[in-house]
Amino acid sequence: MDGVPRGPEQRGPGSSPEPAALRFGVLGPVRAWRDDVPVATGSPQQRALLAALLLREGRTATAAELIDALWGEEPPSQALAAVRTYASRLRKVLDPGVLVSESGGYAVRGLGEG
């Protein structure tokens, strides 16, 4: 494949559908697309969480690191609950298995492979 997204009409006869390509933009506003269709990534805080995870390039960020990235020195009293909520909402709009929970934190996985 040459990296060009193809619709069903552009695939050869008998070929199986390929999964949609998920991609992100982090310069300027944080944005996501599935093929060429924009994906709603939610509130500014959710986009900030997504950006913090994308910039870690697949490495796990602890909840404390994410809280610091989103709020700095003065996080709200319910910061951990907010991070969990933002992650849950992002999981609903991203492809399955992209945002994973592990080792007390979160990571974005499976991008740029294949």
Side-chain angles (χ1 to χ4, degrees), residues 11-79:
R11 294 187 185 110
S15 65
S16 61
E18 295 178 17
L22 187 62
R23 60 189 176 91
F24 299 92
V26 293
L27 296 177
V30 177
R31 297 179 292 173
W33 299 267
R34 187 170 288 105
D35 285 336
D36 291 328
V37 179
V39 174
T41 52
S43 70
Q45 295 86 356
Q46 282 175 220
R47 292 191 306 271
L49 175 66
L50 179 59
L53 293 170
L54 289 168
L55 293 172
R56 293 187 68 83
E57 298 179 331
R59 295 180 312 248
T60 301
T62 66
E65 290 169 330
L66 293 170
I67 289 168
D68 187 54
L70 269 63
W71 292 285
E73 296 293 318
E74 297 185 30
S77 61
Q78 298 297 314

